[in-house]
Amino acid sequence: MAGLTIDLNLYADEAALIDALLAGDKHACACMVKQHGSQMYAVALRIMGDADDAEEVVQDAFISACGKMTSFEGRSKLSTWLYRITTNAALMRLRKRRDDTVSLDEPQVGDDGDLLPRQLGDWEIDPGRQALSSELRQEMEAAVESLPPSLRAAFVLRDIQGLSTQEAAEALEISETALKVRLHRARLALRERLAGYLAGQPQEIAP
């Protein structure tokens, strides 16, 4: 409701907010949106790459969350559960918009079984942690958008939003091992793309 002021101190803690949500308190959903909306929007925007799509994803996600609070079992934090719903909503919208046909070339595998990048070059940037220049940040954002949605979601949740491996895996409803594999592939793809950019030869992630 336009102009509605939400008192974030209305509920003593997360447990009280969850109890209110389960009880159908009319203020609880608005409070949940106020507390977690910006985080969910950040995830949706990174996955969708479009502000309007991200807003619709977040709206759908919170409508869904408020409508099925009885399915929240309390085994994870409320934010983790919301990340799961938001990520699912974003990925579903992407699937409707286009097939998930973007993939990496056949990866090289080292003697230890780990995936190897095709080109790293001589550089020291960790794309998930180092503060980037404005130009390089734009290239980084473009590289993230070029990732297949499943890898993009793993990278966004773990390396950009800073969720733990366990939380990110729970949000994506996959095992921690599967999360690590997706994250590893995402990081390699991003490092390769940025290495090419820094060498003056920007590369696209091959379809």
Side-chain angles (χ1 to χ4, degrees), residues 76-168:
S76 63
K77 294 191 297 186
L78 181 61
S79 60
T80 302
W81 186 66
L82 291 173
Y83 275 125
R84 179 187 308 163
I85 294 173
T86 302
T87 302
N88 283 341
L91 294 178
M92 285 179 63
R93 185 172 288 269
L94 280 180
R95 292 187 191 105
K96 291 179 181 178
R97 189 168 70 184
R98 59 191 175 104
D99 291 334
D100 185 5
T101 55
V102 181
S103 62
L104 304 178
D105 290 341
E106 187 66 25
Q108 296 179 329
V109 180
D111 293 337
D112 57 0
D114 284 341
L115 298 176
L116 298 176
R118 294 185 295 276
Q119 175 189 348
L120 283 181
D122 184 14
W123 68 306
E124 298 179 352
I125 288 180
D126 182 338
R129 291 187 168 85
Q130 182 163 325
L132 306 177
S133 68
S134 176
E135 184 177 354
L136 186 53
R137 185 179 297 279
Q138 291 179 3
E139 184 67 20
M140 176 67 182
E141 291 175 352
V144 171
E145 289 183 21
S146 296
L147 291 170
S150 60
L151 302 189
R152 193 188 317 168
F155 181 79
V156 168
L157 290 174
R158 183 67 180 87
D159 280 5
I160 296 180
Q161 293 301 117
L163 274 65
S164 68
T165 298
Q166 180 182 353
E167 289 172 333

Side-chain angles (χ1 to χ4, degrees), residues 15-85:
L17 173 59
I18 292 171
D19 286 343
L21 287 164
L22 291 171
D25 187 320
K26 64 179 181 180
H27 299 295
C29 269
C31 189
M32 179 173 65
V33 172
K34 193 74 172 180
Q35 287 186 357
H36 299 284
S38 60
Q39 295 170 291
M40 301 309 130
Y41 176 76
V43 168
L45 182 60
R46 291 287 186 173
I47 294 176
M48 301 302 301
D50 179 87
D52 291 337
D53 283 345
E55 289 181 1
E56 291 183 10
V57 163
V58 172
Q59 182 179 35
D60 290 346
F62 277 107
I63 289 174
S64 177
C66 290
K68 61 178 185 181
M69 271 306 301
T70 53
S71 68
F72 177 66
E73 299 177 352
R75 292 183 293 183
S76 63
K77 294 191 297 186
L78 181 61
S79 60
T80 302
W81 186 66
L82 291 173
Y83 275 125
R84 179 187 308 163
I85 294 173

